[in-house]
């Protein structure tokens, strides 16, 4: 099995598809969790929604650490396979390129730029880990008191530079998901001419929900910092 | 009509190629693209120059031999047709037309615009056939096949193996070709028997020959002269993965 997942082109694509599916589910969970922070942005806890309680629940408990490790593994696998596939694809394309190139009819820009978008996403992820994870779960692991989640969000997004950087990051994620979500169905064989428009519609809805959900937190806290 | 042609000239597989500019004049709008190249070659021969080498055979859109990359498109600007079905009326008078060979590591240039596409033959030889003895032709309706299945099989069987899919794909992937061959047989009861072995063998050969990994851009489908759908790639994925998981 390991042979097939690493030695076959379709096996490698399956790994990309499954790891991508896992990351999409995590992103949807993370986005839902972040929306609670908006509810607490004015300092109260409507309907019992408490972002700090979620942060405490996902602190350094064994299940949170296990989840973090699995997530990190998924991210690493997705990135490593992306570079392997791209390297092989460039070699297969050959050294001499076409003099004239065009965008073929019906081909999305994102589908041809997934690695570039992925690199932007990884850079954004590095910034995000520096801004939040290193000051919350990591410091707790090192035996220090983690910072308050809502207050950390408030402080970070009162700086317009971070607002711009995070929105660019979310935009790259939007483009990546518009192709990635429907593509993962195609790779496992769940696609046909009837379902392609539906799958692409689902991909656009998922990507837009993720973008709006994450961007809402950034914009809300930035606007609140102005008033 | 008059045209300026920028054509890739390469003496042989080992030589380094380059674009060379030619001018063709008084071309009838109803001249086919390949006839226009014939006229150019006639002029070159009369001028004592080496004619441009390019692949062609039936000139009816059914053999898949013509394989030119014209102004950024495999088989030219029209969708769903081969190079031989392109006519000069589809270009503007005075237009510059850039003609290139297929660009893919698996399709090395032999001379000028002719590439070696034997890699596709090798993939077919790996499993793109039915090996059971079928004896003489059976009665038309002896084996019931639903209309939908027969249509899908025939749509996939329309593939002429021209190589436009791999030549268009930014990854140099031959997935649409392999998928069309696997799919056309997988939808028929005669081909179903060897479906798992066929999918595994053809994908293994495709990988061995250095074709790239499919990233589902759909460019192959857009440029395919037979408009083969990437739905066949989904079927190939199903066939291959289910075969692997059954191992």
């Amino acid at each position: 099995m390991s042979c097939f997942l690493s030695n076959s082109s379709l096996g490698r694509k399956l790994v990309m598809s499954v790891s991508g599916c896992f990351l999409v589910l995590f992103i949807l969970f993370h986005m839902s969790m972040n929306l609670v922070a908006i509810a607490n942005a004015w300092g109260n806890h409507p309907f019992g929604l408490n972002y700090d309680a979620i942060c405490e629940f996902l602190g350094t408990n064994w299940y949170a650490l296990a989840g973090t490790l699995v997530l990190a593994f998924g991210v690493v696998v997705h990135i490593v396979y992306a570079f392997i596939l791209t390297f092989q694809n460039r070699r297969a394309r050959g050294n001499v390129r076409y003099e004239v190139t065009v965008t073929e009819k019906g081909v999305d820009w994102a589908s041809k730029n997934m690695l570039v978008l992925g690199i932007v996403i990884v850079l954004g992820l590095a910034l995000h880990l520096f801004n939040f994870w290193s000051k919350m779960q990591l410091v707790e692991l090192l035996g220090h008191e983690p910072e308050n989640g809502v207050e950390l969000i408030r402080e970070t997004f009162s700086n317009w530079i971070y607002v711009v950087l995070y929105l660019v990051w979310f935009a790259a994620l939007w483009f990546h998901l518009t192709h990635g979500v429907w593509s993962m169905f195609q790779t496992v064989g769940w696609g046909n001419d009837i379902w392609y428009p539906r799958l692409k519609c689902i991909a656009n809805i998922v990507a837009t929900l993720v973008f709006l959900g994450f961007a809402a937190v950034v914009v809300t806290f930035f606007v609140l910092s102005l008033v | 009509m008059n045209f300026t042609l920028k054509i890739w000239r390469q003496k042989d597989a080992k030589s380094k190629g380059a674009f060379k500019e030619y001018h063709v004049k008084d071309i009838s709008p109803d001249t086919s693209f390949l006839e226009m190249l014939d006229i150019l070659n006639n002029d070159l021969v009369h001028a004592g120059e080496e004619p441009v080498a390019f692949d062609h055979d039936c000139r009816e859109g059914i053999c898949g031999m013509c394989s030119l990359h014209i102004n950024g498109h495999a088989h030219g600007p029209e969708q769903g047709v081969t190079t031989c079905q392109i006519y000069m009326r589809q270009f503007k008078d005075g237009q510059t037309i850039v003609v290139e060979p297929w660009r893919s590591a698996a399709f090395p240039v032999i001379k000028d615009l002719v590439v070696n596409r034997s890699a596709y033959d090798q993939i077919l030889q790996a499993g793109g056939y039915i090996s059971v003895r079928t004896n003489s032709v059976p009665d038309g309706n002896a084996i019931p096949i639903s209309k939908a299945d027969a249509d899908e099989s025939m749509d996939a069987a329309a593939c002429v193996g021209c190589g436009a899919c791999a030549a268009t794909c930014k990854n140099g992937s031959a997935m649409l070709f392999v998928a069309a061959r696997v799919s056309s047989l997988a939808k028929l009861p005669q081909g179903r028997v060897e479906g798992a072995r066929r999918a595994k063998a053809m994908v293994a050969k495709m990988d061995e020959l250095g074709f790239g990994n499919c990233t589902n851009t759909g460019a192959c489908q857009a440029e395919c002269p037979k408009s083969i759908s990437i739905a066949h790639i989904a079927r190939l994925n199903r066939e291959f993965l289910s075969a692997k998981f059954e191992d």
Side-chain angles (χ1 to χ4, degrees):
Chain A
M1 189 67 75
S2 61
C3 240
F4 138 68
L5 294 175
S6 60
N7 294 347
S8 160
S9 57
L10 271 64
R12 288 189 290 270
K13 283 293 296 171
L14 179 67
V15 172
M16 282 300 279
S17 172
V18 173
S19 60
C21 181
F22 168 65
L23 295 179
V24 168
L25 293 175
F26 167 75
I27 284 169
L28 285 170
F29 161 74
H30 196 324
M31 184 268 292
S32 311
M33 189 182 81
N34 282 13
L35 292 177
V36 178
I38 296 180
N40 298 163
W42 288 267
N44 54 1
H45 301 127
F47 309 110
L49 294 170
N50 190 339
Y51 186 73
D52 293 330
I54 296 173
C55 291
E56 193 179 330
F57 177 71
L58 295 174
T60 52
N61 298 306
W62 69 268
Y63 43 82
L65 292 175
T68 304
L69 286 174
V70 171
L71 179 64
F73 178 73
V75 171
V76 169
V77 165
H78 201 71
I79 293 170
V80 168
Y81 266 71
F83 277 101
I84 292 172
L85 288 169
T86 304
F87 170 73
Q88 291 175 333
N89 291 344
R90 289 186 71 83
R91 194 173 55 188
R93 198 75 186 91
N95 296 325
V96 186
R97 301 304 167 98
Y98 288 116
E99 176 83 353
V100 182
T101 53
V102 294
T103 299
E104 298 82 5
K105 192 179 176 185
V107 175
D108 296 327
W109 176 84
S111 70
K112 288 194 162 188
N113 294 280
M114 290 297 273
L115 184 76
V116 175
L117 292 167
I119 290 170
V120 174
I121 292 167
V122 169
L123 291 174
L125 179 65
L127 177 68
H128 179 60
L129 292 177
F130 168 74
N131 283 153
F132 293 96
W133 179 76
S134 67
K135 295 170 185 172
M136 296 174 79
Q137 194 180 51
L138 182 62
V139 291
E140 199 174 342
L141 279 171
L142 297 173
H144 305 291
E145 188 68 21
E147 292 197 32
N148 178 278
V150 175
E151 292 313 311
L152 192 55
I153 294 172
R154 197 185 305 281
E155 182 190 330
T156 306
F157 297 121
S158 61
N159 184 338
W160 69 269
I161 294 173
Y162 282 132
V163 173
V164 171
L165 289 175
Y166 272 69
L167 289 178
V168 168
W169 181 32
F170 301 150
L173 186 59
W174 183 86
F175 277 109
H176 200 79
L177 292 180
T178 54
H179 178 68
V181 169
W182 86 263
S183 187
M184 69 192 188
F185 288 101
Q186 168 79 353
T187 299
V188 295
W190 294 341
N192 58 40
D193 287 328
I194 294 171
W195 269 89
Y196 287 138
R198 298 171 186 171
L199 290 176
K200 288 183 180 181
C201 180
I202 291 168
N204 287 341
I205 289 170
V206 170
T208 305
L209 279 177
V210 167
F211 177 85
L212 291 177
F214 280 128
V217 177
V218 174
V219 172
T220 301
F221 279 90
F222 178 64
V223 170
L224 284 177
S225 74
L226 297 176
V227 294
Chain B
M1 299 177 83
N2 302 324
F3 299 99
T4 299
L5 303 173
K6 268 184 77 179
I7 298 179
W8 182 261
R9 300 303 308 262
Q10 187 171 329
K11 189 180 174 189
D12 53 43
K14 291 179 181 171
S15 303
K16 198 178 176 186
F19 281 99
K20 193 165 180 186
E21 202 167 284
Y22 300 96
H23 298 278
V24 285
K25 294 176 181 174
D26 301 327
I27 301 292
S28 161
D30 296 328
T31 306
S32 78
F33 195 87
L34 296 186
E35 286 167 346
M36 182 274 294
L37 289 180
D38 290 337
I39 293 169
L40 169 69
N41 277 345
N42 202 36
D43 293 344
L44 290 176
V45 169
H46 280 118
E49 289 184 47
E50 179 84 10
V52 177
F54 61 95
D55 261 333
H56 58 99
D57 192 6
C58 75
R59 300 204 178 197
E60 291 179 322
I62 55 174
C63 76
M65 277 306 288
C66 47
S67 53
L68 302 180
H69 202 263
I70 304 164
N71 281 353
H73 291 281
H75 292 296
E78 288 291 305
Q79 283 201 303
V81 293
T82 52
T83 303
C84 61
Q85 295 170 296
I86 298 284
Y87 292 88
M88 298 317 293
R89 57 178 174 265
Q90 288 155 331
F91 298 89
K92 289 177 186 164
D93 188 23
Q95 188 177 348
T96 297
I97 304 171
V98 181
V99 190
E100 305 173 71
W102 285 169
R103 299 289 190 203
S104 180
F107 295 152
V109 173
I110 298 171
K111 182 178 170 65
D112 294 339
L113 302 171
V114 180
V115 297
N116 182 349
R117 286 174 282 178
S118 63
Y120 269 17
D121 297 331
Q122 292 179 57
I123 294 173
L124 275 181
Q125 286 159 8
Y129 49 81
I130 293 170
S131 63
V132 293
R133 289 183 180 277
T134 54
N135 297 318
S136 58
V137 179
D139 287 344
N141 295 317
I143 303 173
I145 300 170
S146 74
K147 177 76 165 63
D149 285 346
D151 284 349
E152 274 197 75
S153 176
M154 285 305 293
D155 286 347
C159 171
V160 290
C162 63
C165 46
T168 297
C169 178
K170 75 180 183 71
N171 309 320
S173 171
M175 279 287 279
L176 192 64
F177 167 73
V178 177
R181 301 302 178 159
V182 165
S183 196
S184 69
L185 294 174
K187 293 300 288 182
L188 300 176
Q190 297 94 327
R192 188 64 262 156
V193 182
E194 296 170 293
R197 182 196 59 78
R198 179 181 304 112
K200 286 188 290 185
M202 292 182 77
V203 168
K205 181 55 79 174
M206 174 180 74
D207 291 345
E208 180 194 320
L209 292 169
F211 287 101
N213 307 280
C214 174
T215 53
N216 304 322
T217 66
C220 52
Q221 170 183 259
E223 296 291 289
C224 174
K226 297 299 168 186
S227 303
I228 307 280
S229 166
I230 57 169
H232 296 294
I233 293 181
R235 179 169 296 111
L236 170 62
N237 291 338
R238 284 198 296 276
E239 292 279 326
F240 178 84
L241 293 176
S242 57
K244 279 291 179 185
F245 284 117
E246 280 170 15
D247 279 350

